[in-house]
Amino acid sequence: MAERVQQPPAKRLCCRPGYGTACRQGQRPGGTVCGGGASGASGSGQGGPSRTHSPESLLDIAARRVAEKWPFQRVEERFERIPEPVQRRIVYWSFPRSEREICMYSSFNTGAEESAATAAEGSDETRLPFRRGIALLESGCVDNVLQVGFHLSGTVTEPATPSEPEVVCSVAISFDRCKITSVTCGCGNKDIFYCAHVVALSLYRVRRPEQVKLHLPISETLFQMNRDQLQKFVQYLITVHHTEVLPTAQKLADEILSQNSEINQVHGAPDPTAGASVDDENCWHLDEEQVQEQVKLFLSQGGYHGSGKQLNLLFSKVREMLKMRDSNGARMLTLITEQFMADPRLALWRQQGTTMTDKYRQLWDELGALWMCIVLNPHCKAEQKAAWLRQLKKWNGVDVCPWEDGNHGNELPNLTNALPQGAHDSGTRPHRTVFTRAIEACDLHWQDSHLQHIISDDLYTNYCYHDNTENSLFDSRGWPLWHEHVPTACARVDALRSHGYPREALRLAIAIVNTLRRQQQKQLELFRNHKKDLLHKGMTSITNLEGWVGHPLDPIGTLFSTLMETGRSDEESSQGGFLDFSGTHTLKNIMSAGESYLALAVETALMGLGQQRIMPDGLYAQEKVCRNEEHLIAKLQEVELDDSLIKIFRKQAVFLLEGGPYSGLGEIIYRESVPMHTFAKYLFTSLLPHDAELAYKIALRAMRLPVLESTAPSGDMSRPHHIVSVVPNRYPRWFTLSHIESQQCELASTMLTAAKGDARKLETVLESIQKNIHSSSHIFKLAQDAFKIATLMDSLPDITLLKVSLELGLQVMRMTLSTLNWRRREMVRWLVTCATEVGVYALDSIMQSWFTLFTPTEATSIVATTVMSNSTIVRLHLDCHQQENLANSARTLALQCAMKDPQNCALSALTLCEKDHIAFETAYQIVLDAATTGMSYTQLFTIARYMEHRGYPMRAYKLATLAMAHLNLSYNQDTHPAINDVLWACALSHSLGKNELAAIIPLVVKSVKCATVLSDILRRCTLTTPGMVALHSRRNSGKLMSLDKAPLRQLLDATIGAYINTTHSRLTHISPRHYSEFIEFLSKARETFLMAHDGHIQFTQFIDNLKQIYKGKKKLMMLVRERFG
């Protein structure tokens, strides 16, 4: 905390009898009664030596009570003269006697064990001021302790360390009515909490009061002095401290000697040791400035450096103060809230339309919940509540105040059901903010006599009460009920717990749970009476516009925590601590025989989780539903289930199945109800060892996800399964849908695992998956899960589960056949693997129905290829007959695919049909039929090369000519990828003979306009004799073809023409940097020209034409003349 070196201000003005009642400035609000007990007549506190105590004197008893309740000024006013021994005992008992509060104000970690703790080790000692203070005290570092009236002072020596010298800190503490009201320390440490030196001095006074010199307030001592003694006292004081006090002493002397000075207008003089005035608030010292600075710092860090954790610790500190009934709890929360409201990010987020981070949003939720607790304090004063209401409304009215649902506000009505509903028109009602519920709660009160009896009386029952109406005050067993909007009623429980009334909170919690049980039974009876009509109509309406799980007030979590805490305390028979549960066993008068708090807690959680409730709007609200559900289930999973709890599980499971629209697992649910997958998975795993049939009923019922089902539009009553909504119809925006679907998938996977070996159950689970899961990726995951479970290494494959896996895989194939999916190839390969494990008939089946499962490309390149691979044959241990049957199916598939998609499947079909002559011929004919229409030259060239490789050169030649008909190479495409194919086709034709070459050259001339390619073909054709294939290393013995006769004459003319056209094209846009390249191009052209018998003349004429046409390009033409004349 911010600890100042100067002494605290004087408490009040003191004088002899007849003094005035003026008080100091800066009074703080608040004031509660200290709950600490007496520590004996000697005053020795914790840590003191064990000794035998004689009975307390009446003086000590009276002085202690006065010291706790009365400000000392009231004592002085009440009695004209107070004997000195009485004053001493009052002053003695005014210092705090409990270490719990000192611990609370000096560390985040608190608890009864802290007060008896010794010096902490390691980082704890340096981190927690309370621990360090104990260490300083027990190592004898506290000295010069003096108590003058209501002021304690002393020195605390901080031992030297290797890096720091010894430091002596002067500490001063003021106190009043068992509370420390101000502290100062010379260490200069700035923090929210008391420093270790203040702790050490305080605990010295608590643990060793008999070692503290105690004096009356200094004003009492001065009253006993005569004038000479007073003068001597002042002069000695000035002499000892002349450098510090001399200027002040002279100033005061001047003012006193001046008759008209302000100091002479006031009767008496201030005394910092005289205790509190009547008007002083009685509260523990809290450094408000440091609280604000720390919160501001944490917020500015934006969630980094553990700031979120620090803020949560501050919230915990507020709750701790509330539990101690310390008025600083509300003060501290006010300071925190002011800093939260001043956070500049709020305006930025609102301006940019972005949402705050999830962790920051949770801090705001806790802020709102704490204010709800504060305004519901059952013993707060009306004026105090009015002040809080004004402050809350002020914050609520700020534009940047966060909305309750974290998004854009909802349109739900006032949800406390305790306030008049007609005050606000729905169209003009403002958004609900995080403070709205606290503002509404300000209108709630605790004066209801039935409520008062519930929370104050363990034996409040009425066994003669037979009113069976909906809002009856007692149930059929005579136990009290509390009918109120459930979240509001649970907010009362939270408030009672928070303000240190655990037994009262427990009584009310039990009454609420009994009310929920009764309502549950009534709802079940109501549905059973109308079940036939509802099922016939197939209609339902949502019964809860807001759910209890995920609610801002967390009603189920509150009830569960209240009952669980009591249950643990009751079972462990714990003593002491902040929550005293001694005597809570008497509450079992309003519980069934043998029923425990733990059982009540579990049943409450099951009721809340199973409630049918609408999915809220907004991303944050939906995420909160999921998060709270998972948190509550995690708490339930910590509970070890015994027979009594399993009985409760069975009871609740039956209700959930038969509860109709009141249950999230009823036969009919509203389309936008929160799904039950996560909850059902927990129920399933819990019930499975005890009641498998019931477990499967729950899980199978929960598998549905109606929000993804197609439903009739609003108002269309013609379809029997139409679902009616009582809220305005809208397109559901389920931001958490992917998470929900993954939970649905997890539930299905859990059932598949459990059903292994049970064919009937596996079939049922499979049907549920196929009906309810709509995501191909999740079905694929389930198929993979089932496959893994079925083929575990330590056991034989479960063929039924393998078939389920295969069936799911087939469904995935059908779902993704016509949609883009980046995992499609993985899915196809996996399906073939799965079918292989199932057996040869499964492989045959998927090939027979390939067109419903695969694209033609997938069927040939993956499915059929894998089926015919050696690894598959070895894996299945197939005989020759089985191999041939499987191969026939694969070839049939390949031919069908080739006919459907020859472009992509023809080559694969040919490959697959190689070993069957008829099939191969059929595939080849399919290629020929498709060549003129649907296939590209690239595909045809590829198949042609394949044919040559397989020893079919004439077929390759045929396909090459068909490919050439589709090709078109322009003059500048000298790097086209098809050039190699053209050269290969010409080489193939040349190798086959003169006739084939003569046939293909016209096609080349027609398709290829690129001069360099044509010249390359021409040169190759002139090197060897047609039909004399050089591959066999035979020298050409035939006659070379003449360039003057067909077909090479046609090719030569085309090549020369191509060079001429290309030259003119290049000269149109040529730049100087390409001149040298152009000259080289002309050199190549000359080589081709010279191949003709009159080529020299043609080339000369060509050059002369260039010089004439392009004479403007002087530099270029000069280069042409230099090279070619």
Side-chain angles (χ1 to χ4, degrees):
M1 58 189 321
E3 290 151 353
R4 298 163 294 279
V5 178
Q6 70 269 23
Q7 293 295 314
K11 289 287 186 180
R12 56 188 175 88
L13 300 178
C14 299
C15 61
R16 291 195 179 275
Y19 54 79
T21 57
C23 66
R24 64 184 176 90
Q25 299 287 321
Q27 297 167 338
R28 297 185 176 96
T32 55
V33 176
C34 174
S39 53
S42 67
S44 60
Q46 296 181 28
S50 176
R51 63 184 68 184
T52 302
H53 294 286
S54 58
E56 278 190 293
S57 67
L58 184 59
L59 170 60
D60 269 317
I61 294 172
R64 187 172 67 248
R65 298 299 293 172
V66 168
E68 291 173 356
K69 299 291 185 182
W70 283 19
F72 196 64
Q73 182 183 0
R74 178 174 294 176
V75 177
E76 292 177 323
E77 288 177 343
R78 182 76 175 269
F79 306 101
E80 184 173 342
R81 183 63 183 167
I82 305 169
E84 185 175 315
V86 174
Q87 289 191 53
R88 285 182 177 277
R89 297 318 291 166
I90 292 174
V91 169
Y92 172 86
W93 287 112
S94 291
F95 195 85
R97 296 182 292 282
S98 169
E99 296 183 9
R100 188 179 299 168
E101 286 86 353
I102 297 170
C103 177
M104 181 171 72
Y105 280 93
S106 57
S107 62
F108 278 121
N109 295 354
T110 59
E113 71 278 2
E114 295 281 8
S115 58
T118 57
E121 297 178 0
S123 60
D124 282 346
E125 184 173 346
T126 59
R127 183 162 44 91
L128 300 176
F130 185 75
R131 297 277 183 134
R132 290 183 54 232
I134 292 175
L136 290 171
L137 171 64
E138 294 183 347
S139 57
C141 296
V142 183
D143 200 6
N144 302 319
V145 183
L146 175 67
Q147 180 178 340
V148 178
F150 297 86
H151 185 272
L152 183 71
S153 61
T155 58
V156 179
T157 303
E158 190 77 55
T161 65
S163 58
E164 297 288 340
E166 179 180 280
V167 177
V168 178
C169 299
S170 297
V171 183
I173 299 173
S174 295
F175 52 91
D176 169 44
R177 285 168 277 180
C178 299
K179 292 182 177 65
I180 292 175
T181 55
S182 72
V183 298
T184 59
C185 180
C187 68
N189 182 47
K190 291 183 178 295
D191 198 356
I192 294 175
F193 303 118
Y194 301 167
C195 68
H197 313 113
V198 170
V199 172
L201 180 60
S202 302
L203 295 184
Y204 187 99
R205 172 61 176 80
V206 172
R207 296 184 179 185
R208 307 171 188 174
E210 69 283 351
Q211 297 179 20
V212 178
K213 295 179 181 179
L214 191 149
H215 300 273
L216 294 179
I218 193 68
S219 54
E220 289 292 328
T221 304
L222 295 177
F223 291 158
Q224 298 171 18
M225 295 183 185
N226 58 31
R227 185 190 178 287
D228 291 340
Q229 291 172 320
L230 283 172
Q231 183 168 357
K232 184 178 291 188
F233 172 79
V234 172
Q235 288 182 214
Y236 267 101
L237 182 63
I238 294 173
T239 301
V240 174
H241 300 286
H242 67 277
T243 56
E244 294 91 354
V245 304
L246 186 57
T248 305
Q250 186 60 54
K251 179 184 176 185
L252 289 173
D254 293 342
E255 290 185 4
I256 289 173
L257 293 175
S258 173
Q259 293 184 353
N260 297 324
S261 64
E262 183 178 351
I263 200 170
N264 285 322
Q265 307 302 314
V266 179
H267 191 61
D271 180 1
T273 67
S277 67
V278 175
D279 299 324
D280 276 348
E281 294 288 351
N282 180 226
C283 59
W284 284 79
H285 174 68
L286 178 69
D287 195 316
E288 297 185 358
E289 182 182 347
Q290 277 305 305
V291 172
Q292 291 173 317
E293 287 298 319
Q294 290 285 336
V295 175
K296 187 175 181 180
L297 174 64
F298 294 149
L299 288 174
S300 68
Q301 291 172 349
Y304 300 104
H305 313 297
S307 58
K309 180 181 178 182
Q310 294 296 320
L311 289 167
N312 275 316
L313 287 173
L314 285 179
F315 286 142
S316 298
K317 182 61 65 178
V318 172
R319 285 194 178 272
E320 185 185 348
M321 290 176 174
L322 296 181
K323 190 168 288 187
M324 301 286 284
R325 303 175 197 174
D326 187 333
S327 62
N328 278 338
R331 280 178 64 206
M332 190 167 177
L333 186 62
T334 301
L335 298 170
I336 293 173
T337 307
E338 286 174 347
Q339 292 306 309
F340 266 71
M341 290 299 297
D343 190 343
R345 291 179 296 171
L346 290 176
L348 185 64
W349 285 329
R350 180 64 60 89
Q351 182 182 1
Q352 294 177 344
T354 55
T355 57
M356 61 180 70
T357 61
D358 193 54
K359 288 186 177 180
Y360 188 56
R361 176 69 238 194
Q362 291 177 43
L363 293 172
W364 275 102
D365 282 352
E366 178 66 5
L367 201 65
L370 280 171
W371 275 113
M372 190 82 174
C373 287
I374 284 176
V375 300
L376 279 177
N377 181 354
H379 292 127
C380 74
K381 298 176 182 177
E383 58 271 17
Q384 203 173 34
K385 184 181 283 191
W388 290 333
L389 179 59
R390 286 192 299 272
Q391 185 64 67
L392 287 167
K393 286 184 174 179
K394 177 183 175 183
W395 290 327
N396 191 68
V398 177
D399 288 341
V400 296
C401 184
W403 296 342
E404 184 180 71
D405 69 350
N407 188 34
H408 300 293
N410 54 37
E411 295 302 321
L412 295 176
N414 182 314
L415 295 177
T416 62
N417 289 352
L419 309 178
Q421 301 282 322
H424 301 288
D425 179 77
S426 61
T428 59
R429 184 170 54 248
H431 293 296
R432 299 181 63 81
T433 74
V434 292
F435 301 117
T436 302
R437 292 183 187 273
I439 292 171
E440 293 172 354
C442 287
D443 289 338
L444 299 175
H445 60 79
W446 297 84
Q447 276 69 52
D448 184 274
S449 59
H450 183 59
L451 176 61
Q452 286 291 325
H453 280 102
I454 289 174
I455 64 176
S456 61
D457 189 354
D458 289 343
L459 304 176
Y460 181 49
T461 54
N462 189 336
Y463 299 111
C464 300
Y465 192 89
H466 297 297
D467 183 4
N468 202 28
T469 60
E470 185 177 346
N471 293 318
S472 57
L473 301 181
F474 299 88
D475 63 15
S476 58
R477 299 165 296 187
W479 297 347
L481 306 174
W482 179 243
H483 296 280
E484 189 175 28
H485 176 244
V486 173
T488 306
C490 294
R492 291 183 187 271
V493 174
D494 193 26
L496 288 169
R497 288 174 66 212
S498 299
H499 288 283
Y501 302 100
R503 294 189 64 192
E504 289 81 355
L506 181 61
R507 294 184 187 113
L508 182 56
I510 293 173
I512 294 171
V513 173
N514 286 332
T515 308
L516 293 179
R517 285 167 154 180
R518 183 175 181 273
Q519 289 175 351
Q520 191 182 56
Q521 187 61 39
K522 291 285 184 185
Q523 290 166 354
L524 179 59
E525 293 169 2
L526 179 65
F527 175 65
R528 283 173 175 169
N529 293 335
H530 298 86
K531 181 176 180 179
K532 186 175 181 181
D533 293 337
L534 284 171
L535 291 180
H536 176 70
K537 295 177 181 177
M539 295 163 53
T540 187
S541 60
I542 191 71
T543 56
N544 295 284
L545 290 179
E546 57 170 7
W548 298 334
V549 175
H551 191 279
L553 299 179
D554 191 20
I556 299 300
T558 298
L559 293 176
F560 185 79
S561 300
T562 303
L563 293 164
M564 285 295 288
E565 284 177 8
T566 311
R568 292 194 188 102
S569 177
D570 194 48
E571 289 170 9
E572 297 169 7
S573 302
S574 62
Q575 298 295 324
F578 289 171
L579 299 178
D580 179 14
F581 288 107
S582 56
T584 50
H585 62 277
T586 58
L587 271 66
K588 294 190 177 181
N589 291 323
I590 53 171
M591 293 168 63
S592 297
E595 190 171 44
S596 66
Y597 297 118
L598 176 64
L600 269 184
V602 169
E603 186 169 9
T604 303
L606 297 180
M607 284 191 286
L609 288 165
Q611 175 206 30
Q612 184 181 175
R613 53 204 184 267
I614 192 171
M615 178 67 79
D617 290 332
L619 171 61
Y620 177 75
Q622 292 176 14
E623 287 180 339
K624 189 172 182 180
V625 167
C626 298
R627 186 169 56 247
N628 283 25
E629 179 183 39
E630 290 167 2
H631 177 74
L632 193 53
I633 289 174
K635 291 290 186 184
L636 283 171
Q637 288 172 334
E638 296 174 3
V639 177
E640 187 174 342
L641 302 182
D642 55 20
D643 292 341
S644 62
L645 292 179
I646 291 300
K647 186 177 179 181
I648 291 173
F649 270 74
R650 281 198 174 103
K651 168 190 166 186
Q652 283 300 319
V654 171
F655 170 79
L656 290 171
L657 290 171
E658 300 180 2
Y662 307 98
S663 162
L665 291 168
E667 291 183 59
I668 309 172
I669 59 169
Y670 174 63
R671 181 169 178 249
E672 292 180 40
S673 290
V674 173
M676 296 281 116
H677 307 128
T678 310
F679 177 43
K681 179 186 171 186
Y682 168 70
L683 283 179
F684 178 80
T685 53
S686 301
L687 284 169
L688 189 63
H690 310 280
D691 192 338
E693 287 300 319
L694 185 57
Y696 276 100
K697 282 182 182 178
I698 286 285
L700 291 169
R701 179 72 63 80
M703 276 291 293
R704 60 197 170 183
L705 189 54
V707 73
L708 295 181
E709 304 287 349
S710 58
T711 58
S714 180
D716 180 6
M717 302 302 292
S718 62
R719 298 179 65 175
H721 62 272
H722 172 61
I723 298 171
V724 177
S725 168
V726 299
V727 297
N729 194 30
R730 58 176 171 79
Y731 179 76
R733 296 189 65 195
W734 283 29
F735 299 98
T736 55
L737 188 58
S738 61
H739 173 75
I740 289 168
E741 286 187 286
S742 67
Q743 291 299 306
Q744 182 189 36
C745 179
E746 286 294 321
L747 173 60
S749 181
T750 304
M751 284 196 288
L752 284 175
T753 305
K756 182 180 179 180
D758 189 326
R760 184 180 63 82
K761 283 190 171 63
L762 281 173
E763 183 180 354
T764 307
V765 174
L766 174 62
E767 290 175 0
S768 179
I769 291 170
Q770 292 174 323
K771 177 184 176 183
N772 295 298
I773 297 185
H774 304 276
S775 165
S776 60
S777 60
H778 287 128
I779 297 178
F780 183 50
K781 180 185 181 300
L782 287 171
Q784 290 177 305
D785 289 349
F787 183 79
K788 290 174 185 175
I789 298 164
T791 56
L792 290 174
M793 295 299 292
D794 59 348
S795 61
L796 292 174
D798 186 320
I799 192 64
T800 308
L801 194 51
L802 273 175
K803 289 178 180 178
V804 169
S805 176
L806 178 64
E807 192 60 43
L808 291 173
L810 294 174
Q811 184 177 349
V812 172
M813 290 298 102
R814 288 188 285 268
M815 292 174 71
T816 58
L817 179 59
S818 58
T819 59
L820 292 174
N821 191 305
W822 63 275
R823 298 184 66 188
R824 175 73 184 176
R825 287 185 66 84
E826 175 195 354
M827 292 173 174
V828 174
R829 291 183 186 280
W830 177 89
L831 183 74
V832 177
T833 303
C834 182
T836 304
E837 288 295 324
V838 173
V840 65
Y841 68 91
L843 288 173
D844 190 62
S845 175
I846 64 173
M847 287 193 292
Q848 295 288 343
S849 57
W850 70 268
F851 47 88
T852 64
L853 304 172
F854 314 108
T855 65
T857 306
E858 293 168 345
T860 53
S861 64
I862 301 177
V863 179
T865 304
T866 307
V867 168
M868 295 187 68
S869 66
N870 288 330
S871 61
T872 302
I873 294 170
V874 173
R875 180 74 182 86
L876 292 174
H877 308 291
L878 301 180
D879 56 31
C880 294
H881 179 67
Q882 290 174 319
Q883 289 182 37
E884 186 57 32
N885 288 339
L886 205 57
N888 283 336
S889 295
R891 286 191 285 267
T892 302
L893 175 149
L895 293 174
Q896 291 172 346
C897 292
M899 292 183 67
K900 190 169 185 178
D901 185 7
Q903 297 93 331
N904 297 310
C905 300
L907 181 58
S908 296
L910 287 166
T911 306
L912 290 166
C913 296
E914 283 177 355
K915 295 181 180 180
D916 187 290
H917 177 71
I918 296 175
F920 188 80
E921 291 298 322
T922 305
Y924 175 63
Q925 190 58 48
I926 292 171
V927 174
L928 292 179
D929 294 342
T932 55
T933 54
M935 299 186 73
S936 68
Y937 62 84
T938 305
Q939 294 163 337
L940 289 170
F941 274 131
T942 303
I943 297 172
R945 284 176 180 261
Y946 163 79
M947 283 295 183
E948 185 198 29
H949 180 69
R950 288 300 179 190
Y952 297 101
M954 290 307 298
R955 291 185 176 183
Y957 167 75
K958 174 66 174 176
L959 292 170
T961 58
L962 293 172
M964 289 299 299
H966 294 288
L967 182 64
N968 183 22
L969 277 179
S970 63
Y971 75 91
N972 59 349
Q973 290 183 296
D974 51 359
T975 59
H976 194 280
I979 291 174
N980 285 332
D981 290 324
V982 174
L983 295 174
W984 168 82
C986 292
L988 175 66
S989 303
H990 191 273
S991 68
L992 291 173
K994 183 176 179 181
N995 292 334
E996 286 77 8
L997 183 61
I1000 203 170
I1001 282 178
L1003 296 175
V1004 172
V1005 169
K1006 181 180 179 181
S1007 302
V1008 180
K1009 307 300 181 188
C1010 182
T1012 55
V1013 176
L1014 289 171
S1015 64
D1016 195 3
I1017 295 171
L1018 181 63
R1019 190 173 298 105
R1020 293 180 184 218
C1021 289
T1022 58
L1023 292 177
T1024 58
T1025 303
M1028 304 299 289
V1029 182
L1031 293 176
H1032 303 289
S1033 300
R1034 292 186 300 178
R1035 296 185 61 83
N1036 297 322
S1037 57
K1039 186 178 180 182
L1040 295 174
M1041 293 182 69
S1042 172
L1043 291 171
D1044 294 332
K1045 298 179 181 178
L1048 293 189
R1049 180 65 195 185
Q1050 183 183 1
L1051 180 59
L1052 177 59
D1053 291 342
T1055 306
I1056 291 173
Y1059 269 117
I1060 293 172
N1061 292 333
T1062 304
T1063 300
H1064 288 296
S1065 297
R1066 294 182 70 167
L1067 284 172
T1068 305
H1069 303 291
I1070 196 168
S1071 63
R1073 69 175 181 273
H1074 294 132
Y1075 284 175
S1076 60
E1077 181 184 336
F1078 178 73
I1079 297 300
E1080 293 301 319
F1081 175 76
L1082 285 181
S1083 297
K1084 291 181 180 179
R1086 181 171 61 179
E1087 293 174 5
T1088 302
F1089 273 85
L1090 293 179
M1091 293 175 76
H1093 72 281
D1094 58 346
H1096 181 73
I1097 298 171
Q1098 289 186 51
F1099 186 72
T1100 302
Q1101 291 175 349
F1102 174 53
I1103 294 297
D1104 290 341
N1105 287 337
L1106 292 181
K1107 293 175 185 176
Q1108 183 64 34
I1109 296 172
Y1110 302 101
K1111 57 186 177 181
K1113 300 182 183 294
K1114 296 179 180 179
K1115 184 176 180 180
L1116 178 59
M1117 291 304 106
M1118 182 183 70
L1119 294 174
V1120 170
R1121 278 192 295 271
E1122 286 178 359
R1123 175 70 68 92
F1124 305 108

